[in-house]
Amino acid sequence: QVQLVESGGGLVQAGGSLSLSCAASGRTFSNYAMGWFRQAPGKEREFVAAISRSGGYTYYANSVKGRFTISRDNAKNTVYLQMNSLKPEDMAVYYCAADQSVVVRTTSYYYDYWGQGTQVTVSS
């Protein structure tokens, strides 16, 4: 089992920045690729970003590319999502997730463990 706890959500004005963190506990963190997903009210959960086990490879949804940065610190068992130039359409509950795969995947189905989510609200 892997336990994931997100933090860092909140209210920000459009154009502002937020940094999310996801702390992992349980099994060896570096054995998991990590992803961030989000879900807005009335919409399906969607992929945001993912990072490989070592952190050497990252992948982003087109909607956040160039504005969001995913990173990880395996010594601290934490994955981060730096969000800049936030837009109202970025408003959602953000979830981190762990995937035992050696490759980075964008489909939520493949992720084995999920956090409880953290709310990001962007005011226009």
Side-chain angles (χ1 to χ4, degrees):
Q1 288 284 340
V2 175
Q3 292 78 42
L4 302 172
V5 179
E6 302 97 336
S7 61
L11 172 65
V12 64
Q13 287 189 332
S17 298
L18 275 177
S19 180
L20 305 183
S21 299
C22 173
S25 61
R27 296 185 177 177
T28 305
F29 180 66
S30 58
N31 286 347
Y32 294 84
M34 298 297 296
W36 285 96
F37 292 78
R38 66 187 182 187
Q39 188 167 18
K43 295 188 177 181
E44 293 187 354
R45 188 170 299 188
E46 66 173 357
F47 170 78
V48 175
I51 189 166
S52 61
R53 293 178 173 185
S54 68
Y57 181 79
T58 57
Y59 189 79
Y60 298 91
N62 287 334
S63 59
V64 306
K65 199 174 297 182
R67 299 187 298 121
F68 290 12
T69 302
I70 188 171
S71 61
R72 67 189 295 163
D73 185 337
N74 286 344
K76 295 183 177 179
N77 292 348
T78 302
V79 62
Y80 306 95
L81 185 68
Q82 177 65 40
M83 305 185 294
N84 298 328
S85 302
L86 282 160
K87 304 175 181 180
E89 51 263 43
D90 294 317
M91 184 162 58
V93 176
Y94 282 70
Y95 301 88
C96 71
D99 179 7
Q100 297 184 64
S101 172
V102 297
V103 298
V104 167
R105 297 192 282 197
T106 63
T107 305
S108 62
Y109 170 83
Y110 294 110
Y111 284 74
D112 306 290
Y113 303 102
W114 292 82
Q116 82 289 349
T118 186
Q119 176 70 48
V120 171
T121 302
V122 183
S123 64
S124 56

